[in-house]
């Protein structure tokens, strides 16, 4: 699977990224809402894990835009 993780916590990014990669998935990380939207437009994702409280554009705004 191609997974987009939208999370601003570096610690959580590393934990989730390593866990999904061990399961054989491709993980792409966005640290803010604008970055998430740009990544979504550039690539197809099987699933998106989206934090609600992220910088620039919050998770609810990102969900509406994608």
């Amino acid at each position: 699977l191609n997974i987009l993780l939208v999370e601003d916590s570096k610690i959580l990014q590393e934990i989730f990224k390593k866990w999904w990669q061990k399961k054989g998935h491709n993980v792409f990380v966005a640290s803010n809402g604008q970055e998430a939207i740009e990544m979504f437009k550039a690539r197809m994702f099987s699933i998106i894990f989206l934090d609600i409280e992220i910088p620039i554009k919050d998770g609810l705004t990102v969900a509406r835009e994608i």
Side-chain angles (χ1 to χ4, degrees), residues 30-31 38 51-52 63:
S31 296
E38 291 169 7
D51 186 2
I52 297 299

Side-chain angles (χ1 to χ4, degrees), residues 2-64:
N2 284 333
I3 298 171
L4 175 58
L5 172 63
V6 187
E7 172 60 60
D8 58 332
S9 166
K10 298 295 183 191
I11 294 169
L12 291 176
Q13 286 176 2
E14 285 303 311
I15 290 169
F16 288 116
K17 185 175 179 178
K18 286 179 183 178
W19 189 76
W20 285 319
Q21 286 176 335
K22 284 182 184 179
K23 304 283 184 188
H25 304 298
N26 300 312
V27 182
F28 301 84
V29 178
S31 296
N32 64 64
Q34 185 60 44
E35 194 176 311
I37 291 169
E38 291 169 7
M39 292 177 81
F40 178 80
K41 290 178 180 179
R43 179 181 299 274
M44 294 291 298
F45 293 98
S46 307
I47 191 165
I48 300 171
F49 291 93
L50 178 60
D51 186 2
I52 297 299
E53 295 180 9
I54 51 176
I56 303 180
K57 290 188 180 189
D58 65 70
L60 295 176
T61 301
V62 172
R64 282 191 290 271

